[in-house]
Each structure stands twice: as C-alpha cells, then as structure tokens.
Amino acid sequence: MQHLVDTTDFSDIQIAQLLHDARTFKAQRPPQLLRDKLLITLFFEASTRTRSSFEVAAKRLGAAIVHLDPSRSSTKKGESLEDTFANLCAMEPDGVIIRHTDNDAPQQLAQMQMTSVINAGAGNYAHPTQALLDLFTLTEHFNGQIKNKTIAIVGDIVSSRVASSGIRLLTRMGMNVLLVAPEPFMPQSDLPQYEHLEDVLDRVDVIMSLRAQLERHASPLFDDYAEYAKHYCITKERLKERNILILHPGPVMRNIDISDEMLDDPRCKVLEQVRNGVYMRMAILKLLLLDSSH
Ligand code: CP
C-alpha cells in the first residue's frame, strides 16, 4: 500500500512516470482504468480547485467518489479524526483524500495502514499534488528542460504548504529557488532570500506568486494589503516585456498578488495549472490505486 503524504514518498522513477501519464492523459481520452475503485474525500478546510480536480480526475478514470463534509459529520459530536477515518475505511474504499489544518494529520492516518492516504493539503507543511501539477506545468512549458532554471517564490511563504512542497520538489528536480517576501512572510531557510522583487526580475525564468494566508495568521501581519501590493503585486508595469512564466496555486487575490491585466497575459499560467491539475491527479490515482497496489 503506497501513500502520498509528500512528494518524498515518490521515487524519481515514479515522478517521471507521473509526468509521462499526465502528458498521455492530456493528449488522449483516457480509458476507464479505475472503474471498480472507490475514493472518499475528507476536507476539513475549504477548497475549490483540489477537491473538484480530484473528483473530475477520479470520474474521468471511471472511479466512484464519495465526499464526507466534516462540518456535517460526527466529528461535530466529538468523534476523533482517527475514528472517523477507521469508520470510513470499514466501507472498504481504495483511498482516502484528506485536507486538514494539522501538518501531521495525513501521516497519522497513513500509519494506520488501512487504505491509501492522499494528502490534499496539510497545514503549512505539504501540498504534494499542487507541487506535482506545478512540476508538470513547468516541464511542459520548458520542454522537459527545467534543471538550472530559476524560480522566485513570492509572498506569504512562511504560511504556505504550496511553497513547502514546491521547494522540496523543485530543488530536487535541479531548479534554483529564490524566496522573495517581506520579513513577516519569510521562513527560516538556507535558500537565497530577497525583500525586493525588483532585485530578482532580471534573473528568474518563473515567478510563483502566493496569496497572503490570512486564515493562518494568529493576528493580522499587515494593516493594509494595498501597501503590500505596491511592492509585491505582479503587474505588467513591473514585468515589462521580460519572458517570465507566472504561476499561482489559487485562489488569487486580484490586484494584490497579480494584477487583472497580468492574469489575462499569456505569460500567466494560472488556469493552465488548474487544467493540468486534473491530468496530474489522474496520474497520481493511477499510480497509487493501480500500479502500486500489486
Ligand atoms: N491550490 C489549491 O489548493 O486550491 P484550493 O484551496 O481551492 O483547493
């Protein structure tokens, strides 16, 4: 039984297989490879992209999917996460897809070894399927040649599980990662750190912009996000004609993270990331439920 708690659970060969399968699924209508499989989702935090992307991916491959809404579940009566999970596993799913505020929740459930656990975002620690879909988007754009390309991660890095998983995966794949943020948003890290976006614009191939994760701040870090935007918003005025790919995991805070104008610019791949997310999640489901289950 294989789990996906973070991308470190996958070997280099498996990551290459995921990229190959995602490309194949994007190029041609996939067969119903998972038609006898059942998945359950358990999202303790809000989601637009990840939950629906997993559902579309599962259905495109013929799998059934059931959603448990924790806000209307017996966790409200005091049932623990472990007991909730064990009861769902008694229904014999082939995998449980979990999003949780707690960094350790997916690992704790994976250790119970009852079904394959797929991390759909945990605290500020890991969001492996986002990292893998971003890797897919980057390899497509650069025709597989991402080694030694430079990416700047910009924004609320310290709160971001997208940044945590992305840094681990993209450095492993040979990319140079720079961090750009005001001091309250900067994590402890050995990576090069910058306060000013202007200092990196002439040497990056990619910018990954991140939302200020207000829901994770114990108290507001900035009084005024318009002031933050003056320094960190990705605008056409700031980018000029530079050939820089713009990524963002969503949801985008318009005109704070990225300007309206840049969101419509062909360099901005936000919706392509969402499109690629379905194909990468199809590849992940195939790997976990079919290829590694023998
Ligand atoms: N990228 C991402 O995790 O988006 P959602 O929170 O909408 O799932």
Side-chain angles (χ1 to χ4, degrees), residues 261-275:
E261 189 182 24
M262 272 313 297
L263 283 166
D264 291 334
D265 189 287
R267 290 171 287 183
C268 184
K269 301 294 175 192
V270 172
L271 293 181
E272 188 64 12
Q273 287 172 271
V274 177
R275 183 166 178 243

Side-chain angles (χ1 to χ4, degrees), residues 202-218:
D202 285 327
R203 52 195 164 113
V204 298
D205 305 289
V206 186
I207 290 175
M208 180 189 286
S209 169
L210 299 173
R211 175 179 68 94
Q213 316 257 306
L214 304 181
E215 70 277 19
R216 293 189 208 291
H217 301 162

Side-chain angles (χ1 to χ4, degrees), residues 46-50 99 127 130 249-250:
S47 170
T48 294
R49 282 145 289 269
T50 311
R99 171 170 286 194
H127 193 346
Q130 181 71 45

Side-chain angles (χ1 to χ4, degrees), residues 104-150:
D104 299 327
Q107 180 62 32
Q108 281 166 6
L109 301 187
Q111 279 165 355
M112 293 167 73
Q113 292 293 356
M114 297 183 81
T115 193
S116 185
V117 172
I118 304 170
N119 179 2
N124 68 354
Y125 165 64
H127 193 346
T129 64
Q130 181 71 45
L132 288 160
L133 77 86
D134 290 341
L135 177 65
F136 179 38
T137 305
L138 290 165
T139 54
E140 265 203 324
H141 181 79
F142 293 112
N143 294 319
Q145 307 301 311
I146 62 162
K147 200 166 177 199
N148 296 323
K149 291 276 188 288
T150 300

Side-chain angles (χ1 to χ4, degrees), residues 160-177:
S160 173
R161 55 193 173 215
V162 174
S164 307
S165 277
I167 288 168
R168 286 190 283 274
L169 182 63
L170 299 178
T171 51
R172 176 178 167 190
M173 294 294 133
M175 289 188 78
N176 306 312
V177 180

